[in-house]
Amino acid sequence: MPVFWLLSRRSFHPQWMMTLLFALSVYFLLKDKQQFGRNFWFAVGAIGGAVAIKIQGVIILPLLILYIIQGLFFKFNISSLITKSLLTLKSLSVVALAYVLGNPHVLHPLGRIAVAHNFRMGMRLDARNIAKGNVSTFYQTLENDVLLQFFPLV
């Protein structure tokens, strides 16, 4: 059994799926080579999936936006600015749609309140733990979750 299954047996940790989708999006963006064809839209779909799985997936959106507008840095004209702006809006719309499809409870007002509350509480908890120095290392997690559970001291 892989180690990440042992370490996350108590709760669901979607980081590995989000990371896989990040890697796929970078792969498809590299394969696209500024053609904005099928591979570009596969990358946008992978980013949308990463955001739908875990909201922290928005950290890759600047990469997508820079990929779209990078041609403007070398050759600027108004028509390409309009085209790139529309492409950016379409891409962000696909990502937002993927988030809503993956999390339909955000369509209801109570669901939006719950998501906002959980997000704020998670940020406060993370900030408190980091400020107190309560960040566990891989070896502490390994010791607490694997060694003590599967090989208890006799």
Side-chain angles (χ1 to χ4, degrees):
M1 184 178 298
V3 174
F4 70 87
W5 288 114
L6 293 174
L7 296 177
S8 59
R9 70 186 184 286
R10 289 188 217 142
S11 62
F12 176 67
H13 294 282
Q15 289 88 349
W16 65 272
M17 290 186 293
M18 184 180 68
T19 305
L20 172 69
L21 291 171
F22 280 172
L24 280 174
S25 67
V26 170
Y27 169 75
F28 283 123
L29 287 177
L30 290 172
K31 196 172 176 182
D32 184 58
K33 297 181 182 167
Q34 286 289 308
Q35 298 300 312
F36 301 105
R38 186 176 65 156
N39 288 322
F40 172 75
W41 291 108
F42 285 156
V44 170
I47 292 170
V51 171
I53 289 170
K54 193 166 179 177
I55 191 65
Q56 285 84 353
V58 298
I59 62 171
I60 202 165
L61 288 179
L63 173 71
L64 178 66
I65 294 169
L66 284 173
Y67 179 81
I68 293 171
I69 66 171
Q70 78 177 354
L72 294 176
F73 296 128
F74 304 111
K75 182 181 168 187
F76 181 79
N77 60 29
I78 296 298
S79 66
S80 66
L81 176 65
I82 293 170
T83 303
K84 302 284 185 177
S85 299
L86 289 174
L87 189 60
T88 302
L89 286 174
K90 286 181 192 177
S91 301
L92 294 178
S93 298
V94 168
V95 171
L97 179 65
Y99 178 75
V100 170
L101 288 175
N103 304 284
H105 58 276
V106 299
L107 296 175
H108 192 274
L110 292 177
R112 282 193 299 275
I113 291 170
V115 167
H117 175 73
N118 287 339
F119 182 77
R120 282 193 303 274
M121 293 306 291
M123 289 293 127
R124 282 191 201 124
L125 182 62
D126 288 346
R128 227 178 297 140
N129 284 336
I130 291 171
K132 289 180 181 177
N134 292 338
V135 181
S136 60
T137 65
F138 174 74
Y139 295 109
Q140 290 169 335
T141 304
L142 183 67
E143 180 182 7
N144 292 336
D145 288 347
V146 178
L147 298 178
L148 293 178
Q149 296 295 326
F150 294 105
F151 305 106
L153 297 174
V154 183

